[in-house]
Amino acid sequence: MREELIEKAIKVRDSAYAPYSGFKVGVALLAESGRVYVGTNVENASFPVGTCAERSAISAMVAGGDRKIVEIAIATTSEEPVPPCGMCRQALWEFGREAKVILVGASGKQVVLSMPELLPWAFGAHHLGGAKGKPLLLKGGFVLTMDAQGTSGYLDVLIEAGKITGIARAGQGGMRADDVEVIDCTGCVLLPSFVQTHVHLCQTLWRNRADGLSLMGWLRQRTLPLESHLSQEEARISALLGGCELLLGGTTTIADFGTARHTETIVEAALSLGLKGVFSKVIMDDEEEFVGLREAPEKAVEEVLALAQKFKGRALFAFAPRFALSCSRHAFEVVAKASREHGMLVHTHCAETEGEVQDTVRRFGLRPVALYDELGLLGNRLLLAHCVHLDDSEIEKLAKTQTTVAHCPTTNLKLGSGIARIKEMLDKGVRVTLGADGAPCNNNLCVFNEMRLASLLQKVRHGAQALPAIEVLKMVTRDGAKALGLFDETGSIEVNKRADIVVLDAQKVWCTPWDEDYASAIVHSMDRQNCRDVLSDGRFVVRNHKILGIDEQELVREAKKASDYLFERVFGRLS
Ligand SMILES: [Zn+2]
Ligand SMILES: [Zn+2]
């Protein structure tokens, strides 16, 4: 077939109308129906009126009723193969993002390329957002709405302009069915897409390269030196890598703990993929060795306020002192004041290890929770990651002040920090949410890992009835959204909320059979390979298990290269 296509392209090339340039191009494309369409360049005395061969062939294809290019051969009169112009690459993307492109020179030499190679990070229809697209009807799936009443069942969900505009029992009608794109969700479970309240997108590049270290070694030997050398481009790649992983696993909303620099780059990268949430820039004024990260807290706060202004309506921001051991009392005071004045979240680490608690006592004369209490930080604007080493009175304090805990079970185990007292926290009424923390201390950003571990760890401590699956699901949906102040928009499938939805394909051997209490199946037997589709603001960010808008394999190559280069710069040649 390919030879035939090339032959046709060469043949039609002779018909090209190119009296001005003498540069003749012939194109033959194979469409999905099996039909072949041809085109040539057509020049004009008024030069801009001319058209390329690729777009001529596309016009013929569309007129012929086809919409998808499988393979396209482009033959020119140059000896060497010549690539399509920029405009044609964009035109080809519209109809053939999976097409093979064969470039043929007059010498007979051939080059075969994929569309992402010709047009990396291509602009496509999905970038226009749900706002202008057709309404979507998610039909035939079992929906766990995670609303206050715990509504679930076979429900159809209508999405218009990025929002959920209708939910109805399957087959009961009452929902517009005209001019909608129907997404068949038969055999699937639908949930609000996940919220992770503690991740570090900037650290993804040292995944699998910081193992075997406990917290202080992990920080001082790896994370702080690497963060202080991270270039802007590396920060961007790191955020894209972590962001893609989060989306492929059904997480669309995050609280990201940033580094000292490149905050804007990280936020832009995350937003470009369709992630959203609360971003931050680390504040640390007391780390002698890592000057690249040290900064006056006033300056850091000012930068965060400027970013919050700049990204208004697109992203929220928090103040993020790293932890008690890298900040002065003054830094915490500046942060507390800014949080009060601007009603913004404070995101920090707390009582991750026993050693950290003891060092905090030595430094401030107080344990971390008492320190934050004294500074006036406790409250529903405070998000505390870890909280592994808390006593009863500290748990009570967090409950009373409505302070949120971001539980990171994998990290706590991997760094050997301990097991957080989650059941005690829930019993006292603390709002507990989940996060995968950074890729280098996990080493995934997979919400399913965190859900399962969160549940299992409490069962080991308190018996098999502890922490039922549905409670874990609340942590990564409604409670996560509440913690970030985003529950009006996300965290449950309800009319008028943003359409942030994950469609889990339940027809897999590893999660069959299941009860219609799907919570247990999701927490205990599903994983991210079940994530078929992920919608953020009503648009697909993952469809049929594939991330949209970015070439995953290209990103993998880029990230590996960037990580190698970063390690070489910081630690010398890799052995
Ligand atoms: Zn062109
Ligand atoms: Zn962390």
Side-chain angles (χ1 to χ4, degrees):
M1 189 66 221
R2 179 167 293 180
E3 285 314 308
E4 203 180 305
L5 211 57
I6 290 169
E7 233 170 76
K8 285 193 165 137
I10 293 171
K11 190 157 169 241
V12 75
R13 184 185 63 194
D14 297 334
S15 314
Y17 179 69
Y20 306 103
S21 71
F23 183 75
K24 292 187 166 189
V25 185
V27 162
L29 69 81
L30 171 66
E32 202 177 23
S33 67
R35 279 201 290 272
V36 172
Y37 300 91
V38 296
T40 68
N41 50 334
V42 182
E43 293 184 347
N44 193 285
S46 168
F47 287 3
V49 176
T51 309
C52 300
E54 294 89 336
R55 279 174 289 139
S56 301
I58 288 172
S59 298
M61 177 191 79
V62 171
D66 267 302
R67 291 289 183 272
K68 195 169 172 192
I69 305 169
V70 177
E71 197 158 297
I72 178 166
I74 304 170
T76 68
T77 41
S78 292
E79 285 297 299
E80 288 292 304
V82 173
C85 77
M87 197 185 262
C88 286
R89 293 178 200 209
Q90 184 68 40
L92 288 169
W93 184 264
E94 186 82 13
F95 298 103
R97 55 175 66 183
E98 277 132 43
K100 284 270 165 276
V101 182
I102 306 141
L103 310 174
V104 188
S107 63
K109 189 170 164 193
Q110 296 175 15
V111 175
V112 182
L113 292 166
S114 70
M115 276 311 298
E117 284 173 305
L118 275 169
L119 196 62
W121 204 6
F123 172 80
H126 64 282
H127 287 116
L128 298 173
K132 289 183 189 66
K134 246 189 187 182
L136 293 176
L137 184 64
L138 308 182
K139 204 172 162 61
F142 188 91
V143 182
L144 283 168
T145 66
M146 302 308 291
D147 67 5
Q149 295 75 37
T151 308
S152 65
Y154 288 95
L155 303 169
D156 293 341
V157 181
L158 183 67
I159 298 166
E160 292 171 283
K163 281 191 166 183
I164 298 167
T165 54
I167 300 173
R169 292 274 156 200
Q172 280 192 350
M175 290 233 281
R176 62 176 289 188
D178 58 307
D179 203 30
V180 297
E181 185 182 348
V182 176
I183 308 297
D184 183 6
C185 297
T186 310
C188 295
V189 190
L190 279 67
L191 268 179
S193 51
F194 305 115
V195 181
Q196 291 198 46
T197 53
H198 186 67
V199 298
H200 297 255
L201 289 178
C202 66
Q203 297 175 358
T204 326
L205 285 188
W206 48 104
R207 187 205 308 270
N208 299 328
R209 292 182 150 176
D211 290 351
L213 295 163
S214 59
L215 179 65
M216 293 321 269
W218 181 89
L219 266 175
R220 300 234 145 86
Q221 292 170 37
R222 283 287 183 267
T223 291
L224 295 182
L226 287 163
E227 273 191 23
S228 62
H229 285 87
L230 196 69
S231 72
Q232 184 178 11
E233 179 61 4
E234 286 157 355
R236 188 183 73 83
I237 295 169
S238 186
L240 289 176
L241 186 67
C244 281
E245 186 189 359
L246 288 164
L247 291 174
L248 284 165
T251 295
T252 55
T253 300
I254 53 172
D256 181 55
F257 200 100
T259 180
R261 290 164 300 125
H262 316 309
T263 313
E264 189 170 345
T265 302
I266 291 166
V267 179
E268 284 290 5
L271 297 181
S272 77
L273 294 170
L275 271 174
K276 48 198 184 172
V278 182
F279 296 84
S280 65
K281 153 193 168 70
V282 75
I283 296 175
M284 43 198 290
D285 64 343
D286 219 5
E287 286 282 354
E288 294 300 329
E289 306 131 82
F290 304 104
V291 279
L293 300 174
R294 251 175 65 184
E295 199 173 18
E298 291 84 354
K299 191 165 165 281
V301 163
E302 203 176 297
E303 188 187 332
V304 171
L305 289 174
L307 286 170
Q309 200 54 38
K310 180 165 186 180
F311 283 91
K312 208 169 181 166
R314 298 173 67 208
L316 294 173
F317 284 83
F319 302 110
R322 191 179 288 273
F323 69 149
L325 302 184
S326 57
C327 292
S328 66
R329 175 179 287 269
H330 172 68
F332 281 117
E333 285 166 354
V334 170
V335 163
K337 181 164 173 283
S339 166
R340 250 193 329 272
E341 280 177 13
H342 300 277
M344 285 161 66
L345 290 185
V346 176
H347 185 179
T348 188
H349 298 92
C350 174
E352 184 170 355
T353 66
E354 190 54 51
E356 173 209 324
V357 173
Q358 294 317 320
D359 285 347
T360 305
V361 171
R362 266 190 287 279
R363 213 171 132 87
F364 295 98
L366 294 166
R367 290 168 60 89
V369 171
L371 172 69
Y372 296 150
D373 190 20
E374 194 187 85
L375 289 157
L377 279 166
L378 297 186
N380 65 1
R381 283 198 306 269
L382 182 64
L383 175 56
L384 294 177
H386 304 303
C387 294
V388 176
H389 299 276
L390 299 189
D391 61 28
D392 289 344
S393 69
E394 288 170 322
I395 289 175
E396 259 165 51
K397 194 102 215 173
L398 296 189
K400 207 153 65 193
T401 55
Q402 299 182 317
T403 302
T404 301
V405 170
H407 178 35
C408 307
T410 304
T411 293
N412 298 156
L413 296 192
K414 182 155 183 285
L415 302 189
S417 305
I419 300 174
R421 302 170 67 203
I422 298 303
K423 181 170 187 302
E424 291 89 328
M425 292 184 200
L426 292 171
D427 287 349
K428 291 281 182 213
V430 176
R431 180 162 57 213
V432 179
T433 59
L434 288 182
D437 206 354
C441 52
N442 189 302
N443 295 348
N444 289 132
L445 303 176
C446 173
V447 81
F448 292 89
N449 293 346
E450 303 311 308
M451 287 198 285
R452 192 167 315 145
L453 255 192
S455 174
L456 297 183
L457 285 173
Q458 300 310 309
K459 293 181 194 306
V460 167
R461 297 180 60 242
H462 296 280
Q465 76 292 348
L467 208 44
I470 190 71
E471 295 305 316
V472 181
L473 282 183
K474 284 181 190 161
M475 294 177 179
V476 293
T477 54
R478 43 189 301 121
D479 288 348
K482 281 181 187 169
L484 305 186
L486 291 170
F487 191 55
D488 286 345
E489 298 174 21
T490 193
S492 64
I493 298 181
E494 294 182 80
V495 169
N496 282 330
K497 286 214 176 184
R498 310 299 306 174
D500 297 337
I501 295 173
V502 57
V503 179
L504 300 167
D505 180 357
Q507 311 298 307
K508 299 287 180 194
V509 287
W510 60 83
C511 55
T512 301
W514 59 88
D515 267 343
E516 275 184 9
D517 159 27
Y518 273 105
S520 212
I522 294 164
V523 171
H524 291 295
S525 72
M526 289 195 188
D527 60 36
R528 58 181 154 191
Q529 293 183 65
N530 290 93
C531 292
R532 188 189 78 176
D533 304 321
V534 183
L535 293 117
S536 174
D537 283 330
R539 73 171 168 91
F540 284 98
V541 288
V542 172
R543 193 160 191 181
N544 286 326
H545 306 279
K546 280 182 93 168
I547 190 103
L548 300 184
I550 190 164
D551 181 346
E552 192 181 340
Q553 285 316 306
E554 175 62 26
L555 177 62
V556 166
R557 280 192 294 272
E558 229 184 351
K560 175 67 168 70
K561 216 167 83 187
S563 175
D564 286 351
Y565 182 54
L566 175 65
F567 267 72
E568 264 187 47
R569 277 197 340 269
V570 179
F571 301 115
R573 197 149 284 280
L574 291 167
S575 50

